[in-house]
């Protein structure tokens, strides 16, 4: 493994772990706030117990998210110094604001965790809401910085120099809204299905059923609403990518030839030598409609893009297929759950429905990882799209491969610790909050 591949691998590893911790950390406070609100309104002790149990999970993921996020911040400077030298003054504002949001979140979380029976009950609830809002703001600000890498704005690039810098325009670039919306809904869907699945498992085991049914209901509502809205944000994202990054769209769909009424490709095996996808299902005109809102529109293929600017096609296509496929599975489960709530409430304790939610525990997070692979790998060979190539931004320092091995060990260890803490927390719920 050369240093360039090691640097990319280390960044991918760090982001792959952090994105899971961050998504849970930015979504779980909202679940906690809803449970807390229901306790304040109804006085039912079970909702207070759910709030306290979830708050411990929020604390765990806040800590792990802070650690993994800090590592990523250092890696940007250490692994990609040329990138930060030029990009830092342009897109530094969302990172600075993210730091502010992080500190607000930390203060609010401290108030919430240690404020039981010390603050006015509604003020105490409000501190929990602030934890969620500031965490969500942190996530959106980081996505805005990533969106700038996909859609550079807020500067003029003349003769290799960056001039007339406008940080506001850089932060609110053309890609920030579609990426932030898609990522936010993905976080709610993934975390919601994971949390609902854990509580469904506990319901099946017959332990503390009232507690777990209340928790399941809150998480499942968030998950299913987000999963239903996600295809709409996906459509917005597809049209945005088609306009700004035709090479990425072509790689996502393994669309080799520019044509009218371009078909949507489902599945198949990519053959880059033959410039085709074998054994795929093709729906005529659907890609043209998804990209441009017109089934007869021309969709740019990879044949119109210089080969040295092609993203890795196969992995981008497969990752996109995984993301969409899992999204459709979560959408289907959401529809079943809505039917259950509206017409078939007797299904709520049915083993088959609980089993579906248990099987859905990892789906959202796998889809998130696949989606970020599409976003990052599909932008290659650019680190700043159309401006700076990734290979030109990497550090010249040798020995990065050893750093990659070290950080792999650190993140694997961190994941084991988090899994142990969560397992212990879930076990404790069974007897500490037995109501």
């Amino acid at each position: 493994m050369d240093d360039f591949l090691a640097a990319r691998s280390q960044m991918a590893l760090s982001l792959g772990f952090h994105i899971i911790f961050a998504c849970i950390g930015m979504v779980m406070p909202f679940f906690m706030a809803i449970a807390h609100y229901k306790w304040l309104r109804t006085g039912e002790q079970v909702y207070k117990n759910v709030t306290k149990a979830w708050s411990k999970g929020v604390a765990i993921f806040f800590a792990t998210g802070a650690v993994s996020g800090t590592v990523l911040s250092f890696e940007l400077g250490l692994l990609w110094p040329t990138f930060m030298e030029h990009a830092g003054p342009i897109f530094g504002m969302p990172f600075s604001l993210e730091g502010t949001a992080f500190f607000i979140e930390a203060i609010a979380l401290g108030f919430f965790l240690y404020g039981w029976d010390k603050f006015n009950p509604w003020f105490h609830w409000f501190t929990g809401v602030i934890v969620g809002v500031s965490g969500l703001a942190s996530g959106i600000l980081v996505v805005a910085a990533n969106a700038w890498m996909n859609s550079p704005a807020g500067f003029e690039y003349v003769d290799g120099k960056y001039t007339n810098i406008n940080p506001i325009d850089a932060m609110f670039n053309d890609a920030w809204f579609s990426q932030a919306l898609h990522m936010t809904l993905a976080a709610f869907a993934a975390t919601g299905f994971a949390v609902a699945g854990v509580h469904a498992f506990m319901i099946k085991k017959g332990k503390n059923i009232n507690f777990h049914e209340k928790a399941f209901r809150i998480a499942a509502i968030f998950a299913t609403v987000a999963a239903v809205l996600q295809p709409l944000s996906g459509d917005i994202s597809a049209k945005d990518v088609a306009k700004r990054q035709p090479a990425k769209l072509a790689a996502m769909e393994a669309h080799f030839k520019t044509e009218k009424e371009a078909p949507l490709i489902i599945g198949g095996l990519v053959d880059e030598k033959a410039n085709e996808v074998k054994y795929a299902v093709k729906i005529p005109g659907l890609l043209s409609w998804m990209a441009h809102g017109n089934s007869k529109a021309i969709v740019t293929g990879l044949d119109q893009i210089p080969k040295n600017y092609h993203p890795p096609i196969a992995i981008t296509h497969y990752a996109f297929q995984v993301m969409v496929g899992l999204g459709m599975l979560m959408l289907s489960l959401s529809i079943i759950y809505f039917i259950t709530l509206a017409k078939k409430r007797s299904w709520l304790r049915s083993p088959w429905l609980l089993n579906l939610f248990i099987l859905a525990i990892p789906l959202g997070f796998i889809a998130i990882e696949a989606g970020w692979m599409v976003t990052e790998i599909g932008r290659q060979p650019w680190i700043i799209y159309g401006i700076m190539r990734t290979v030109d931004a990497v550090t010249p320092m040798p020995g990065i491969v050893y750093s990659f091995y070290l950080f792999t060990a650190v993140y694997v260890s961190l994941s084991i610790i988090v899994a142990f803490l969560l397992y212990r927390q879930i076990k404790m719920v069974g007897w500490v909050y037995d109501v």
Side-chain angles (χ1 to χ4, degrees), residues 8-40:
R8 292 188 61 194
S9 299
Q10 182 174 324
M11 202 72 192
L13 174 80
S14 303
L15 181 60
F17 277 94
H18 176 69
I19 198 170
I20 302 300
F21 301 146
C23 285
I24 298 174
M26 64 190 272
V27 170
M28 278 296 296
F30 290 99
F31 298 1
M32 179 183 76
I34 293 296
H36 195 180
Y37 175 82
K38 292 181 79 69
W39 172 60
L40 293 175

Side-chain angles (χ1 to χ4, degrees), residues 33-107:
I34 293 296
H36 195 180
Y37 175 82
K38 292 181 79 69
W39 172 60
L40 293 175
R41 294 291 295 177
T42 67
E44 293 184 47
Q45 181 67 26
V46 64
Y47 285 116
K48 182 178 182 181
N49 294 342
V50 171
T51 304
K52 285 193 169 185
W54 278 347
S55 68
K56 293 178 181 178
V58 169
I60 291 171
F61 282 104
F62 175 82
T64 52
V67 171
S68 57
T70 301
V71 170
L72 273 170
S73 299
F74 283 116
E75 285 178 341
L76 280 173
L78 293 173
L79 299 178
W80 313 102
T82 305
F83 167 70
M84 290 304 296
E85 176 188 356
H86 297 287
I90 304 171
F91 82 147
M93 178 175 284
F95 279 124
S96 299
L97 294 176
E98 191 274 336
T100 302
F102 172 79
F103 283 118
I104 293 172
E105 182 183 7
I107 294 167

Side-chain angles (χ1 to χ4, degrees), residues 222-378:
F222 272 102
T224 51
V225 170
V228 168
L229 295 175
Q230 189 67 299
L232 300 178
S233 76
D235 181 66
I236 294 172
S237 295
K239 288 179 169 57
D240 180 63
V241 169
K243 179 181 178 182
R244 293 182 301 96
Q245 294 177 296
K248 178 184 286 188
L249 180 71
M252 287 161 56
E253 289 293 340
H255 184 59
F256 289 98
K257 184 180 178 182
T258 302
E259 59 184 322
K260 293 178 62 177
E261 298 184 63
L264 181 71
I265 296 175
I266 300 175
L269 298 175
V270 176
D271 185 341
E272 295 188 40
K273 291 183 179 180
N275 290 339
E276 64 177 354
V277 183
K278 298 177 180 178
Y279 317 115
V281 175
K282 298 184 179 181
I283 305 177
L286 188 55
L287 179 58
S288 292
W289 181 81
M290 292 176 66
H292 302 291
N294 180 353
S295 62
K296 297 185 181 298
I298 296 174
V299 177
T300 302
L302 290 161
D303 60 339
Q304 295 296 310
I305 299 163
K307 197 146 191 174
N308 58 325
Y309 293 156
H310 285 191
I313 300 165
I315 190 171
T316 304
H317 175 69
Y318 295 141
F320 180 68
Q321 295 285 302
V322 168
M323 179 188 70
V324 173
L326 294 180
M328 291 299 101
L329 287 177
M330 289 185 285
L331 174 61
S332 300
L333 179 52
S334 301
I335 293 171
I336 292 171
Y337 185 67
F338 290 147
I339 293 172
T340 300
L341 292 178
K343 302 287 186 180
K344 300 286 186 178
R345 297 189 72 86
S346 60
W347 290 355
L348 286 173
R349 289 194 180 183
S350 298
W352 65 267
L353 182 63
L354 296 174
N355 284 334
L356 287 177
F357 273 93
I358 293 169
L359 291 172
I361 289 174
L363 299 187
F365 294 121
I366 296 172
I368 284 176
E369 297 286 8
W372 273 98
M373 288 175 68
V374 172
T375 300
E376 298 301 291
I377 296 174

Side-chain angles (χ1 to χ4, degrees), residues 115-240:
W116 290 99
D117 304 320
K118 294 181 177 68
F119 295 136
N120 173 282
W122 284 104
F123 175 77
H124 184 222
W125 169 80
F126 181 70
T127 63
V129 174
I130 293 299
V131 173
V133 172
S134 55
L136 184 61
S138 292
I140 290 174
L141 287 164
V142 170
V143 171
N146 178 267
W148 179 85
M149 296 166 68
N150 287 290
S151 180
F155 66 96
E156 293 181 9
Y157 185 66
V158 182
D159 297 329
K161 296 182 179 180
Y162 301 79
T163 60
N164 296 330
I165 294 172
N166 186 326
I168 299 295
D169 288 346
M171 184 165 67
F172 296 108
N173 55 79
D174 290 342
W176 86 269
F177 175 76
S178 61
Q179 280 197 210
L181 177 63
H182 200 60
M183 186 66 235
T184 299
L185 290 174
F188 273 96
T191 305
F193 276 114
V195 173
V198 169
H199 290 290
F201 178 75
M202 299 302 286
I203 293 169
K204 276 201 69 180
K205 291 184 69 174
K207 292 186 176 181
N208 204 353
I209 290 179
N210 187 38
F211 174 96
H212 291 292
E213 282 187 337
K214 294 290 193 294
F216 171 85
R217 177 78 177 270
I218 293 171
I221 289 294
F222 272 102
T224 51
V225 170
V228 168
L229 295 175
Q230 189 67 299
L232 300 178
S233 76
D235 181 66
I236 294 172
S237 295
K239 288 179 169 57
D240 180 63

